[in-house]
Amino acid sequence: MRFYNFGDSRNTHLLLIPDNAQHYSIFERGIKDLIPDFYITICSFDGFDETIKETFVSHEKEMEQIEAYINEHDEGHLSCAYGLGHGGEVLCSLLERSHITIDKCIIDSAYFEYLSTPYAMMQASAATMFFYPLIKEKTISRGVMHFLTHEQKENPEFISRWQQHYLSHNLDFIKKRSLFNQFSSSYQLKHKKNLLIPNTAVHVFFSMKMGARYLRRYQYFFANAIYHYFNMSAQELLITKPDQWALELYSIFKGRI
């Protein structure tokens, strides 16, 4: 794992964790308004960074590296953290492990789809078939085309930005094994019911177009989360409205809530 830092190290330290199959640059449009007030660290996973030769092995290994980084640079205590998609599940697991402490965190568009090993392997294979042609060869698989066709009618800006992220970067260094391992590892992240971490405020960015079943999952896992509702698709706030995304993070991490 590599850590990219932006801003003045004397400012409030903010850790950002991307979703599966994402390059760390997914945050580049959003952080420009946060840099004056935060010291920002973006995690870049093994296998998904052009400067790292290692293949992605597991989220367990990645979390160990995050914990080692926070212990070294922040004495084990982090002011604030944000996880996008499966990155939100990694953040949740970091809280459960209790090797580091975090004052405030935001979980955005996480899925919490725990599966037994056989089903996790099957789902990871499907996800790999979905993403690999897109990021490796800049071609759109049938699965991706189905997703785009369905979503394009409702939110063309979101789909345009989503495609731009994958098509505008040279990601041909990503190996199929890294994709498979990352997704299979995510589907096997198991979380506790009614998670309550002392002295940690958990905020949830809930994209209402994800549907009620995902809201029930959040309510199952988090005992006292603070919910922020957006009439959007998963990850749409960051991808289409990075200025508003930055403002929401600022109000939470610099505010009293």
Side-chain angles (χ1 to χ4, degrees), residues 25-45:
S25 60
I26 190 73
F27 295 113
E28 64 184 359
R29 294 175 62 240
I31 64 172
K32 59 182 178 61
D33 291 333
L34 295 172
I35 289 175
D37 297 286
F38 291 90
Y39 179 55
I40 299 171
T41 297
I42 303 178
C43 300
S44 188
F45 292 118

Side-chain angles (χ1 to χ4, degrees), residues 63-89:
M63 284 188 281
E64 289 174 355
Q65 295 181 75
I66 294 173
E67 289 167 345
Y69 180 88
I70 300 304
N71 281 321
E72 178 183 355
H73 295 275
D74 297 88
E75 299 181 344
H77 179 81
L78 191 64
S79 297
C80 44
Y82 167 95
L84 181 66
H86 289 286
E89 295 179 57

Side-chain angles (χ1 to χ4, degrees), residues 184-214:
S184 62
S185 180
S186 292
Y187 293 131
Q188 294 179 85
L189 287 175
K190 197 169 185 178
H191 305 287
K192 300 175 184 176
K193 179 181 178 181
N194 292 328
L195 178 64
L196 181 61
I197 306 297
N199 303 315
T200 298
V202 177
H203 294 256
V204 170
F205 281 7
F206 184 71
S207 302
M208 294 173 66
K209 291 183 180 180
M210 291 178 69
R213 70 188 180 110
Y214 285 102

Side-chain angles (χ1 to χ4, degrees), residues 46-100:
D46 289 345
F48 295 88
D49 188 298
E50 56 271 38
T51 69
I52 303 174
K53 294 182 180 180
E54 287 84 356
T55 299
F56 185 97
V57 175
S58 69
H59 279 303
E60 175 76 20
K61 181 182 177 182
E62 303 298 300
M63 284 188 281
E64 289 174 355
Q65 295 181 75
I66 294 173
E67 289 167 345
Y69 180 88
I70 300 304
N71 281 321
E72 178 183 355
H73 295 275
D74 297 88
E75 299 181 344
H77 179 81
L78 191 64
S79 297
C80 44
Y82 167 95
L84 181 66
H86 289 286
E89 295 179 57
V90 171
L91 179 54
C92 181
S93 293
L94 287 170
L95 292 173
E96 290 178 294
R97 288 159 64 96
S98 300
H99 296 163
I100 60 174

Side-chain angles (χ1 to χ4, degrees), residues 20-21 86 124 127-128 131 178-187:
N20 285 354
H86 289 286
T128 300
F131 279 100
S178 288
L179 276 170
F180 178 84
N181 287 349
Q182 191 179 56
F183 278 106
S184 62
S185 180
S186 292
Y187 293 131

